[in-house]
Amino acid sequence: MELEPPVRLILVMENNEKTDEVKAMEIARLMEDGKGLDVTVLDVTGLNSWADYFVIVTVTSSAHWQGLYRTVKEYIGENGMEIHKTVRKDVHGDDWNLIDLGSVVVHLMSKEARDFYELEKLWHAGKVLKGNGSAQ
């Protein structure tokens, strides 16, 4: 007897508003569509006070992360979200760009930064919703 893989239900609130998990997963799909690499979604609900989901993406260049950033901006405009201002330590650095959407935080990272910071290991207590949970 062959078992079917578990089915994941996409939750939508009563008023047809998408849940934060749905938004995180949709953003992840958009990152993949934009050729983002090793896209991972972590549920970090209850592990910190500022976000519930991390979308972690490896980018290949400055132009790549800027294109993905524009994609996120378009998405949030259509989904009632907004970017919260963050302070960058190095305004010229392209290794790690963080997009804070409140309950969802998108991390656009170079391969080198992702290998160095290992967010998936740092947040190992989070539940991996997409991806393998480790940068490759």
Side-chain angles (χ1 to χ4, degrees), residues 16-136:
N16 250 1
E17 184 178 319
K18 297 173 186 173
T19 64
D20 292 333
E21 179 178 340
V22 169
K23 291 176 185 179
M25 296 301 285
E26 288 179 344
I27 290 169
R29 189 182 71 245
L30 290 170
M31 298 297 94
E32 289 176 329
D33 291 348
K35 308 297 184 212
L37 305 173
D38 301 322
V39 178
T40 299
V41 178
L42 295 179
D43 180 344
V44 293
T45 304
L47 300 177
N48 65 65
S49 61
W50 67 89
D52 293 327
Y53 300 93
F54 287 168
V55 179
I56 307 169
V57 184
T58 300
V59 297
T60 57
S61 67
S62 177
H64 191 205
W65 82 254
Q66 289 173 18
L68 293 177
Y69 178 83
R70 282 190 296 274
T71 299
V72 171
K73 279 186 71 171
E74 290 171 13
Y75 176 85
I76 66 171
E78 298 165 357
N79 288 279
M81 299 173 83
E82 63 183 50
I83 295 176
H84 300 265
K85 299 278 187 217
T86 57
V87 178
R88 292 183 62 158
K89 289 193 287 183
D90 179 4
V91 295
H92 302 294
D94 288 335
D95 283 341
W96 185 357
N97 290 278
L98 182 137
I99 308 170
D100 182 354
L101 305 174
S103 59
V104 178
V105 175
V106 181
H107 300 269
L108 302 175
M109 306 176 80
S110 69
K111 180 172 180 1
E112 294 77 20
R114 193 153 176 192
D115 289 346
F116 181 79
Y117 290 104
E118 297 183 317
L119 292 183
E120 292 90 344
K121 280 189 180 177
L122 181 65
W123 293 95
H124 65 88
K127 180 179 177 186
V128 177
L129 301 180
K130 177 172 186 50
N132 64 10
S134 64
Q136 296 177 349

